[in-house]
PDB file of all heavy atoms in Angstrom:
ATOM      1  N   THR O  60     136.355  83.536  95.956  1.00 49.00           N
ATOM      2  CA  THR O  60     136.910  84.663  96.711  1.00 49.00           C
ATOM      3  C   THR O  60     135.860  85.748  96.836  1.00 49.00           C
ATOM      4  O   THR O  60     135.336  86.227  95.839  1.00 49.00           O
ATOM      5  CB  THR O  60     138.150  85.235  96.003  1.00 49.00           C
ATOM      6  OG1 THR O  60     139.118  84.206  95.877  1.00 49.00           O
ATOM      7  CG2 THR O  60     138.734  86.399  96.792  1.00 49.00           C
ATOM      8  N   ASN O  61     135.537  86.112  98.071  1.00 50.00           N
ATOM      9  CA  ASN O  61     134.572  87.167  98.320  1.00 50.00           C
ATOM     10  C   ASN O  61     135.309  88.486  98.474  1.00 50.00           C
ATOM     11  O   ASN O  61     136.129  88.636  99.370  1.00 50.00           O
ATOM     12  CB  ASN O  61     133.761  86.844  99.578  1.00 50.00           C
ATOM     13  CG  ASN O  61     132.712  87.893  99.848  1.00 50.00           C
ATOM     14  OD1 ASN O  61     132.233  88.521  98.923  1.00 50.00           O
ATOM     15  ND2 ASN O  61     132.369  88.059 101.127  1.00 50.00           N
ATOM     16  N   VAL O  62     134.999  89.453  97.569  1.00 46.00           N
ATOM     17  CA  VAL O  62     135.708  90.731  97.581  1.00 46.00           C
ATOM     18  C   VAL O  62     134.728  91.832  97.916  1.00 46.00           C
ATOM     19  O   VAL O  62     133.663  91.924  97.322  1.00 46.00           O
ATOM     20  CB  VAL O  62     136.357  91.018  96.206  1.00 46.00           C
ATOM     21  CG1 VAL O  62     137.089  92.353  96.243  1.00 46.00           C
ATOM     22  CG2 VAL O  62     137.313  89.896  95.844  1.00 46.00           C
ATOM     23  N   GLU O  63     135.064  92.673  98.859  1.00 47.00           N
ATOM     24  CA  GLU O  63     134.224  93.814  99.220  1.00 47.00           C
ATOM     25  C   GLU O  63     135.093  95.041  99.406  1.00 47.00           C
ATOM     26  O   GLU O  63     136.068  95.005 100.164  1.00 47.00           O
ATOM     27  CB  GLU O  63     133.448  93.538 100.502  1.00 47.00           C
ATOM     28  CG  GLU O  63     132.527  94.680 100.890  1.00 47.00           C
ATOM     29  CD  GLU O  63     131.774  94.379 102.177  1.00 47.00           C
ATOM     30  OE1 GLU O  63     131.932  93.265 102.687  1.00 47.00           O
ATOM     31  OE2 GLU O  63     131.066  95.289 102.645  1.00 47.00           O
ATOM     32  N   VAL O  64     134.782  96.110  98.702  1.00 45.00           N
ATOM     33  CA  VAL O  64     135.540  97.350  98.828  1.00 45.00           C
ATOM     34  C   VAL O  64     134.848  98.230  99.857  1.00 45.00           C
ATOM     35  O   VAL O  64     133.659  98.490  99.760  1.00 45.00           O
ATOM     36  CB  VAL O  64     135.601  98.094  97.465  1.00 45.00           C
ATOM     37  CG1 VAL O  64     136.376  99.399  97.618  1.00 45.00           C
ATOM     38  CG2 VAL O  64     136.266  97.208  96.426  1.00 45.00           C
ATOM     39  N   THR O  65     135.585  98.657 100.867  1.00 47.00           N
ATOM     40  CA  THR O  65     135.010  99.515 101.909  1.00 47.00           C
ATOM     41  C   THR O  65     135.879 100.739 102.095  1.00 47.00           C
ATOM     42  O   THR O  65     137.090 100.725 101.824  1.00 47.00           O
ATOM     43  CB  THR O  65     134.912  98.750 103.250  1.00 47.00           C
ATOM     44  OG1 THR O  65     136.230  98.334 103.633  1.00 47.00           O
ATOM     45  CG2 THR O  65     134.048  97.518 103.092  1.00 47.00           C
ATOM     46  N   ASP O  66     135.251 101.828 102.578  1.00 43.00           N
ATOM     47  CA  ASP O  66     136.008 103.047 102.879  1.00 43.00           C
ATOM     48  C   ASP O  66     136.670 102.907 104.235  1.00 43.00           C
ATOM     49  O   ASP O  66     136.059 102.423 105.194  1.00 43.00           O
ATOM     50  CB  ASP O  66     135.087 104.270 102.896  1.00 43.00           C
ATOM     51  CG  ASP O  66     134.573 104.577 101.509  1.00 43.00           C
ATOM     52  OD1 ASP O  66     135.267 104.199 100.539  1.00 43.00           O
ATOM     53  OD2 ASP O  66     133.499 105.212 101.410  1.00 43.00           O
ATOM     54  N   SER O  67     137.924 103.299 104.325  1.00 41.00           N
ATOM     55  CA  SER O  67     138.634 103.280 105.609  1.00 41.00           C
ATOM     56  C   SER O  67     138.386 104.591 106.328  1.00 41.00           C
ATOM     57  O   SER O  67     137.746 105.500 105.829  1.00 41.00           O
ATOM     58  CB  SER O  67     140.125 103.092 105.369  1.00 41.00           C
ATOM     59  OG  SER O  67     140.654 104.206 104.685  1.00 41.00           O
ATOM     60  N   VAL O  68     138.917 104.699 107.492  1.00 37.00           N
ATOM     61  CA  VAL O  68     138.771 105.924 108.275  1.00 37.00           C
ATOM     62  C   VAL O  68     139.507 107.052 107.578  1.00 37.00           C
ATOM     63  O   VAL O  68     140.607 106.878 107.063  1.00 37.00           O
ATOM     64  CB  VAL O  68     139.331 105.723 109.698  1.00 37.00           C
ATOM     65  CG1 VAL O  68     139.249 107.017 110.492  1.00 37.00           C
ATOM     66  CG2 VAL O  68     138.591 104.606 110.396  1.00 37.00           C
ATOM     67  N   ILE O  69     138.860 108.231 107.526  1.00 36.00           N
ATOM     68  CA  ILE O  69     139.486 109.395 106.901  1.00 36.00           C
ATOM     69  C   ILE O  69     140.464 110.010 107.891  1.00 36.00           C
ATOM     70  O   ILE O  69     140.110 110.318 109.020  1.00 36.00           O
ATOM     71  CB  ILE O  69     138.436 110.433 106.509  1.00 36.00           C
ATOM     72  CG1 ILE O  69     137.490 109.831 105.480  1.00 36.00           C
ATOM     73  CG2 ILE O  69     139.090 111.698 105.950  1.00 36.00           C
ATOM     74  CD1 ILE O  69     136.373 110.750 105.098  1.00 36.00           C
ATOM     75  N   SER O  70     141.690 110.134 107.468  1.00 37.00           N
ATOM     76  CA  SER O  70     142.722 110.689 108.333  1.00 37.00           C
ATOM     77  C   SER O  70     143.245 111.970 107.703  1.00 37.00           C
ATOM     78  O   SER O  70     143.844 111.944 106.636  1.00 37.00           O
ATOM     79  CB  SER O  70     143.862 109.685 108.510  1.00 37.00           C
ATOM     80  OG  SER O  70     144.899 110.252 109.290  1.00 37.00           O
ATOM     81  N   GLY O  71     143.042 113.107 108.390  1.00 39.00           N
ATOM     82  CA  GLY O  71     143.472 114.395 107.841  1.00 39.00           C
ATOM     83  C   GLY O  71     142.737 114.686 106.557  1.00 39.00           C
ATOM     84  O   GLY O  71     141.529 114.581 106.491  1.00 39.00           O
ATOM     85  N   ASN O  72     143.525 115.038 105.531  1.00 42.00           N
ATOM     86  CA  ASN O  72     142.934 115.325 104.230  1.00 42.00           C
ATOM     87  C   ASN O  72     143.063 114.155 103.281  1.00 42.00           C
ATOM     88  O   ASN O  72     142.831 114.290 102.095  1.00 42.00           O
ATOM     89  CB  ASN O  72     143.611 116.564 103.615  1.00 42.00           C
ATOM     90  CG  ASN O  72     143.323 117.832 104.413  1.00 42.00           C
ATOM     91  OD1 ASN O  72     142.245 117.965 104.969  1.00 42.00           O
ATOM     92  ND2 ASN O  72     144.304 118.737 104.472  1.00 42.00           N
TER      93      ASN O  72
END
Side-chain angles (χ1 to χ4, degrees):
T60 301
N61 182 29
V62 180
E63 182 180 356
V64 179
T65 59
D66 292 335
S67 65
V68 177
I69 298 176
S70 177
N72 294 326

